[in-house]
Amino acid sequence: MKLINLKQFRKERGLTQKQFGASMQLSQSTVSCLENGLQEATSHLLERVAKVFMVDNIDDYVYERRTFLDPESILMTREEKMACVFVGDWNEMSPIDIIEGFSIICRVGTISIGTDGTLLIDRNNGIGYKLSHYIICPDKFEKPNLLLTLTSKQWFDDEMYEDFKRAYFIGCKIAGIYPMKQLKRAEPT
């Protein structure tokens, strides 16, 4: 749905909600709903705004969102909003699992990523017995031979290859290591 950043539009023209509403023949409550993202800005309304205020770039004030804002959150005081803050420390990632002593913070396919960026590749492929994980620590990320070996078709199918690339990128970001460029072998001529 299309919404309009009416507050910015009004402020740039030095208008109050009441003045804007009078110019557009809209009630102040309608203007308030438009401004607070509680009412969609129809094409007809946008055309009228552009015509009344002689604006060529009305699309600069238009944005899209899938849902309306929650009206209850708009009416909350600052103190009430502060009381709704999530508990816990957002500076620390809470593990979703522990695998072989590593605290896991997320998974990309069959690859788990540890809090320090370590990648744990699940080698179990339904063969009936438990294999261990293949563990790649961040200090090995910068070794091209490791990546050349791991990214060959001997290790991964296409889907797992893409999962590995995503997990590797996330692991590098967590570990503070610059990811290597994608490696390509020269094709024989």
Side-chain angles (χ1 to χ4, degrees):
M1 72 181 66
K2 285 186 178 180
L3 300 170
I4 184 169
N5 188 346
L6 193 53
K7 189 172 190 174
Q8 180 183 350
F9 185 86
R10 281 189 315 98
K11 298 269 181 193
E12 288 175 2
R13 285 152 186 79
L15 299 171
T16 65
Q17 283 185 351
K18 192 172 185 177
Q19 292 168 330
F20 178 84
S23 301
M24 293 293 299
Q25 298 176 344
L26 297 171
S27 68
Q28 187 175 356
S29 62
T30 301
V31 174
S32 177
C33 286
L34 283 165
E35 192 166 295
N36 289 308
L38 300 174
Q39 184 172 329
E40 188 172 3
T42 63
S43 298
H44 176 70
L45 174 75
L46 294 172
E47 289 170 10
R48 279 184 51 214
V49 170
K51 186 176 181 179
V52 169
F53 292 97
M54 294 179 275
V55 177
D56 295 330
N57 59 347
I58 194 67
D59 288 340
D60 293 348
Y61 300 94
V62 176
Y63 62 99
E64 295 206 22
R65 192 169 50 222
R66 291 187 179 151
T67 59
F68 291 117
L69 288 175
D70 178 11
E72 291 179 13
S73 68
I74 291 171
L75 301 174
M76 294 171 89
T77 64
R78 185 177 189 287
E79 289 77 26
E80 289 172 327
K81 286 180 184 176
M82 292 304 289
C84 292
V85 172
F86 290 99
V87 295
D89 185 359
W90 282 58
N91 293 311
E92 241 177 74
M93 296 174 274
S94 300
I96 57 171
D97 198 0
I98 305 287
I99 299 176
E100 299 196 21
F102 292 93
S103 297
I104 303 303
I105 55 164
C106 69
R107 288 193 178 93
V108 179
T110 59
I111 302 170
S112 301
I113 305 168
T115 53
D116 64 347
T118 299
L119 304 181
L120 290 89
I121 302 170
D122 188 353
R123 297 192 308 166
N124 295 297
N125 57 2
I127 55 177
Y129 58 92
K130 178 85 173 131
L131 295 172
S132 64
H133 288 78
Y134 186 81
I135 300 168
I136 308 171
C137 294
D139 61 345
K140 297 180 184 174
F141 284 172
E142 295 174 323
K143 296 182 181 173
N145 291 341
L146 172 77
L147 288 179
L148 278 172
T149 304
L150 288 175
T151 55
S152 68
K153 293 292 182 180
Q154 298 164 351
W155 269 79
F156 300 135
D157 59 18
D158 288 337
E159 184 179 347
M160 189 150 175
Y161 176 62
E162 290 303 316
D163 289 345
F164 173 76
K165 287 197 303 187
R166 287 183 193 97
Y168 168 74
F169 183 76
I170 294 168
C172 285
K173 290 294 183 183
I174 292 170
I177 297 170
Y178 191 77
M180 295 187 84
K181 291 183 179 179
Q182 187 168 350
L183 302 168
K184 295 182 181 179
R185 290 188 179 177
E187 296 293 326
T189 56

